[in-house]
Amino acid sequence: MEEAIRLGQVCLWRRTQEEFSYDLKKTVLSFFEGKYRQPAKKLVLDKIDLVVEKGEKIGIIGGNGAGKSTLLKVICGILQPTTGTVRVRGQIAPLIELGAGFDAEISVMDNILLYGVLLGFSRAEMQERARSILEFAELQDYELVPVKGLSSGMVARLGFAIATDVKPDILILDEVLSVGDESFRNKCQKRMDGFWDSHVSILVVSHSMEFIKQSCDKAIWLNKGGIELAGESEKVVTSYIQSVS
Amino acid sequence: MSLSLSNKYITPKARHYLELLHVLVSRTLKVRYRGSFLGIYWSLLNPLIMTGLYTAIFGATFAKYYGGSILNYVLAALTGLIVINFFSASTSQALSSVVGNGALLNKIRLPVSVFPISMITANIFQFVMGTFPLLAIVALINSKSLINVVAIFLPFIALVMFCVGIGFFVSALYVFFRDLPYFYELVVFMLWISSPVFYPAEIVPKAVRPFLILNPLSPIIESLRQITLSGNLPDFMLIINALLSGILFAGFGWLYFHRSRSQFMDLL
């Protein structure tokens, strides 16, 4: 088996936002009063070791604020670990909150190009794909309409269509699996099943234990930034449920 | 831009950067000019109206410093205002560009520097389409030489580098200090009032005058005026002066941006 992701002893310290003063005036004043202090930092990920083989489906579980989304961000390269190493082989497709890169003022077509390039594709590639994306999202008639003229369901459909119209090596899911009305949900489900059956490595954060048990080979239970337990999804989910109840 | 993209010796990273720049700039321009009648020429309207205003108020009084000609005053004010306008528009847009895209940066891995750069590039595009033809005509009439027309780009490059430097600096600083726009407005006003845009440098008291030289926009305005208005061949000492200070500021701004970049994500 080939390795897709390897994290070695990853630690991440972040500044806590709540006590941060975003104020130039206050900072300068406190500096003159001699009250200035270095902003406090908090350990959000604590010595995470993780190896994901190619094609593995891994579920990440844990309470709120356990560091699940942060871990995904580190793997995506959005956050740099303070110490430790992150190695990723292959292209990552992040599926975190669809439609984040849209600009409501410009047309659907322009948004397909914009979003695609933001996700790392070239404009030429996106122009070729635009047809199939519009078709999947069922928005062929809306090509030149600005996105603010679409309903929120349509925007979600468009986001899903662009983000999943790729053949990534690694797919990152943060609790977004299906959008839109009932018939579109089925389409989404089919496409996701397609990913699930292929050799794509998938990392998914979910609060649905049933889902994790059924669809993931392995699960990781995060607690206060550290790995509490990792292994077969059945086992991890069972002990997680026992610990909370 | 499409030319540079077809170059196969370019690394994939640089190619992606250029692609990003392309979509972001075209997005900015499309949003800015969607459904507007004058389109890109709106960017010319501001300096033109300001010039009219200054001429109406100060023109008669200051004309004696400009060889007794109101037209000379109009042109001097216009060139100064074009520079100041480009500076204040591009840097204030760059200022909010990183924070404004914070949500996006939290979801997709992107080179952060592309956001301030794209704002300045959008303004360059506006300048080349809207303001440059006007300056070129003025330069051609005054100097009757194409060299001067081409040379307009040299102080402009200096201006762009200065704006890139300041744009990098303020966009990074804004991540840490969200009340920066208020202070920055003041700084822009200080630069604006201390560069001899609508008044002749001669009226400033001798004791204060040396401080005006500290204004980094002064050499750029001076050089642009020399090229477009004097009718002589471009003075390369002035140009080099402007370019050097531009490079200095660009380097400094990039350095600050690069060094503080690792802390951005905790605060966006």
Side-chain angles (χ1 to χ4, degrees):
Chain A
M1 277 280 241
E2 234 184 296
E3 222 175 78
I5 302 170
R6 176 180 278 274
L7 302 190
Q9 291 287 302
V10 166
C11 289
L12 181 71
W13 291 83
R14 297 194 81 179
R15 255 160 108 157
T16 46
Q17 292 222 9
E18 49 279 14
E19 66 162 306
F20 176 70
S21 104
Y22 281 115
D23 229 65
L24 187 60
K25 205 172 61 191
K26 264 190 211 155
T27 311
V28 170
L29 276 177
S30 69
F31 206 81
F32 282 119
E33 288 170 354
K35 282 184 194 156
Y36 182 79
R37 56 201 167 89
Q38 283 290 321
K41 291 201 173 188
K42 203 178 128 198
L43 187 63
V44 231
L45 290 180
D46 188 10
K47 296 198 198 98
I48 303 274
D49 281 306
L50 173 67
V51 179
V52 179
E53 308 280 354
K54 204 169 162 240
E56 255 185 330
K57 327 291 181 209
I58 294 189
I60 301 173
I61 56 176
N64 290 331
K68 305 186 295 291
S69 301
T70 313
L71 181 62
L72 292 188
K73 281 184 189 175
V74 168
I75 291 170
C76 288
I78 294 167
L79 296 173
Q80 302 291 328
T82 317
T83 58
T85 52
V86 178
R87 238 185 325 180
V88 174
R89 274 202 207 122
Q91 194 178 22
I92 294 191
L95 262 190
I96 340 178
E97 280 172 65
L98 301 164
F102 287 149
D103 190 309
E105 297 288 329
I106 57 176
S107 71
V108 168
M109 192 60 188
D110 288 334
N111 266 303
I112 292 177
L113 294 184
L114 174 67
Y115 200 52
V117 173
L118 287 175
L119 288 174
F121 302 99
S122 73
R123 287 177 64 250
E125 259 177 285
M126 291 315 291
Q127 263 152 356
E128 273 170 38
R129 283 209 195 118
R131 284 284 131 234
S132 74
I133 289 171
L134 284 171
E135 206 172 300
F136 184 85
E138 296 162 28
L139 291 171
Q140 293 101 317
D141 302 339
Y142 293 85
E143 196 182 322
L144 299 174
V145 175
V147 162
K148 67 177 171 192
L150 303 183
S151 74
S152 56
M154 286 174 175
V155 175
R157 256 156 51 185
L158 185 62
F160 184 89
I162 300 172
T164 56
D165 189 73
V166 291
K167 290 184 182 61
D169 305 303
I170 301 158
L171 191 67
I172 306 276
L173 295 170
D174 197 346
E175 198 83 82
V176 268
L177 294 167
S178 54
V179 290
D181 52 26
E182 200 54 42
S183 79
F184 194 75
R185 261 163 206 275
N186 292 334
K187 253 167 101 177
C188 290
Q189 203 50 52
K190 259 193 211 137
R191 197 171 252 198
M192 294 313 298
D193 289 346
F195 280 125
W196 233 268
D197 297 334
S198 67
H199 290 294
V200 179
S201 317
I202 299 181
L203 280 157
V204 54
V205 164
S206 180
H207 287 287
S208 158
M209 294 304 139
E210 274 312 301
F211 170 78
I212 298 268
K213 252 200 265 185
Q214 277 170 10
S215 0
C216 299
D217 316 322
K218 275 204 208 160
I220 294 166
W221 169 13
L222 283 182
N223 189 18
K224 288 179 190 146
I227 294 184
E228 185 84 27
L229 190 65
E232 239 176 273
S233 53
E234 278 280 353
K235 237 168 65 190
V236 177
V237 167
T238 317
S239 33
Y240 174 67
I241 291 173
Q242 270 170 6
S243 84
V244 278
S245 54
Chain B
M1 194 167 283
S2 51
L3 255 180
S4 56
L5 286 180
S6 60
N7 187 342
K8 62 180 172 224
Y9 299 108
I10 203 166
T11 64
K13 239 183 170 171
R15 186 190 302 251
H16 183 224
Y17 196 95
L18 288 176
E19 293 261 350
L20 271 174
L21 200 58
H22 188 160
V23 287
L24 290 174
V25 168
S26 76
R27 188 262 300 257
T28 307
L29 292 174
K30 267 180 193 155
V31 171
R32 204 172 284 169
Y33 297 115
R34 208 173 63 89
S36 95
F37 165 65
L38 278 174
I40 207 134
Y41 294 96
W42 274 117
S43 61
L44 250 184
L45 213 59
N46 185 327
L48 285 179
I49 290 176
M50 296 283 267
T51 304
L53 204 62
Y54 285 131
T55 308
I57 298 172
F58 301 116
T61 319
F62 288 156
K64 64 170 184 271
Y65 295 97
Y66 295 86
S69 143
I70 288 204
L71 181 69
N72 281 353
Y73 176 78
V74 169
L75 292 175
L78 182 68
T79 43
L81 279 167
I82 284 171
V83 171
I84 286 285
N85 240 311
F86 183 91
F87 169 76
S88 86
S90 62
T91 54
S92 353
Q93 286 159 21
L95 182 140
S96 54
S97 64
V98 172
V99 172
N101 286 291
L104 194 60
L105 285 167
N106 261 307
K107 272 156 204 135
I108 308 173
R109 177 189 185 175
L110 293 168
V112 188
S113 66
V114 82
F115 292 105
I117 291 285
S118 77
M119 284 302 168
I120 288 168
T121 311
N123 279 285
I124 293 174
F125 185 78
Q126 269 169 259
F127 173 87
V128 171
M129 301 306 286
T131 321
F132 175 71
L134 188 71
L135 285 176
I137 292 168
V138 173
L140 202 59
I141 292 172
N142 278 324
S143 69
K144 298 174 187 63
S145 154
L146 276 176
I147 296 175
N148 285 47
V149 174
V150 176
I152 292 174
F153 279 108
L154 293 172
F156 180 64
I157 289 170
L159 175 63
V160 168
M161 284 199 287
F162 179 61
C163 293
V164 165
I166 299 293
F168 269 144
F169 179 67
V170 290
S171 66
L173 209 59
Y174 186 39
V175 175
F176 303 105
F177 304 113
R178 301 299 164 92
D179 57 348
L180 186 66
Y182 306 105
F183 292 92
Y184 191 62
E185 229 172 89
L186 197 69
V187 171
V188 170
F189 184 71
M190 271 160 60
L191 276 178
W192 185 73
I193 208 84
S194 68
S195 46
V197 167
F198 60 92
Y199 58 86
E202 287 89 342
I203 64 158
V204 180
K206 273 218 170 61
V208 183
R209 222 178 289 171
F211 291 100
L212 294 189
I213 300 169
L214 291 178
N215 183 341
L217 285 173
S218 295
I220 295 168
I221 295 176
E222 234 176 281
S223 171
L224 188 64
R225 278 183 184 157
Q226 195 272 329
I227 290 168
T228 51
L229 307 180
S230 72
N232 302 323
L233 280 175
D235 179 345
F236 281 97
M237 269 324 281
L238 280 177
I239 292 174
I240 287 169
N241 220 339
L243 280 172
L244 276 181
S245 85
I247 292 171
L248 203 72
F249 274 93
F252 159 76
W254 189 81
L255 207 68
Y256 180 76
F257 188 87
H258 190 71
R259 295 194 62 144
S260 55
R261 194 227 161 291
S262 63
Q263 299 172 45
F264 285 180
M265 288 318 296
D266 290 355
L267 306 171
L268 288 174

